């Protein structure tokens, strides 16, 4: 679900829209989605239902779309915090985005989302994500979190 190419560690995005655009652009570049506008629209629509802001700077924006060709995770880490209505009231700067085709919405989506949420509630996992210096390290940590190999 994730490779190093699906991670942008130093994004200049400074708004929620900018983060969504960065996620969508990475999705199209990596063959995960065929249309970035529909990915952005899906992320916005999901965010309008309730915040995906977590705590300690993390958010998990996610969407399901017919333009998404395979389940994937895209990570965008911004240089500055962005207001995200997070649970702890702090800005978010670390975005773990889950993109899922409509046909797999019930299974893949919920399992991966639950695994990511568990990892973010664990102080040790959260710290490991924060201190990862390369896309390769971060991809490995995320894979382990989803597979339950923390």
């Amino acid at each position: 679900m994730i490779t190093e190419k699906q991670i942008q560690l130093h994004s200049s995005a400074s708004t929620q829209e900018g983060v969504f655009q960065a996620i969508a652009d990475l999705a199209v570049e990596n063959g995960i989605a065929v249309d970035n506008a529909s990915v952005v629209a899906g992320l916005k629509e999901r965010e309008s239902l309730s915040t995906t802001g977590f705590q300690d700077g993390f958010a998990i924006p996610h969407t399901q779309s017919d333009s998404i060709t395979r389940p994937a995770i895209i990570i965008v880490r911004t240089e500055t915090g962005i207001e995200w209505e997070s649970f702890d009231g702090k800005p978010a700067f670390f975005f773990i985005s889950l993109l899922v085709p409509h046909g797999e919405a019930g299974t893949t989506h919920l399992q991966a989302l639950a695994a990511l949420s568990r990892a973010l509630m664990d102080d040790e996992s959260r710290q490991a994500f924060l201190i990862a210096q390369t896309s390769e390290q971060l991809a490995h940590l995320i894979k382990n979190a989803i597979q339950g190999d923390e």
Side-chain angles (χ1 to χ4, degrees), residues 5 11 13 24 28 31-32 37 54-55 71 74 81 84 91 109 125 132 141:
K5 293 178 182 178
S11 174
V28 171
I32 296 160
F54 207 70
Q55 64 185 32
I74 302 280
W84 212 270
H109 178 243
S125 295
L141 291 167

Side-chain angles (χ1 to χ4, degrees), residues 111-123:
Q111 290 169 351
L113 197 55
L116 288 170
S117 295
R118 277 193 304 275
L120 290 180
M121 289 192 297
D122 179 71
D123 289 339

Side-chain angles (χ1 to χ4, degrees), residues 6-93:
Q6 293 163 224
I7 298 173
Q8 187 176 68
L9 290 178
H10 304 287
S11 174
S12 62
S14 59
T15 63
Q16 196 172 71
E17 174 89 21
V19 170
F20 291 160
Q21 191 63 56
I23 291 166
D25 290 348
L26 280 170
V28 171
E29 286 170 24
N30 286 282
I32 296 160
V34 295
D35 174 42
N36 59 4
S38 64
V39 173
V40 170
L43 291 166
K44 281 183 180 179
E45 182 180 332
R46 169 57 191 86
E47 199 69 35
S48 73
L49 300 175
S50 66
T51 185
T52 59
F54 207 70
Q55 64 185 32
D56 295 331
F58 285 90
I60 312 176
H62 52 282
T63 190
Q64 305 160 20
S65 171
D66 289 331
S67 75
I68 297 169
T69 59
R70 64 181 171 87
I73 292 172
I74 302 280
I75 295 178
V76 172
R77 195 161 68 184
T78 58
E79 297 292 324
T80 59
I82 298 170
E83 173 50 46
W84 212 270
E85 297 181 20
S86 299
F87 298 143
D88 62 2
K90 295 179 182 173
F93 60 88

Side-chain angles (χ1 to χ4, degrees), residues 99-117:
L99 305 178
V100 181
H102 262 140
E104 298 181 45
T107 55
T108 307
H109 178 243
L110 295 176
Q111 290 169 351
L113 197 55
L116 288 170
S117 295

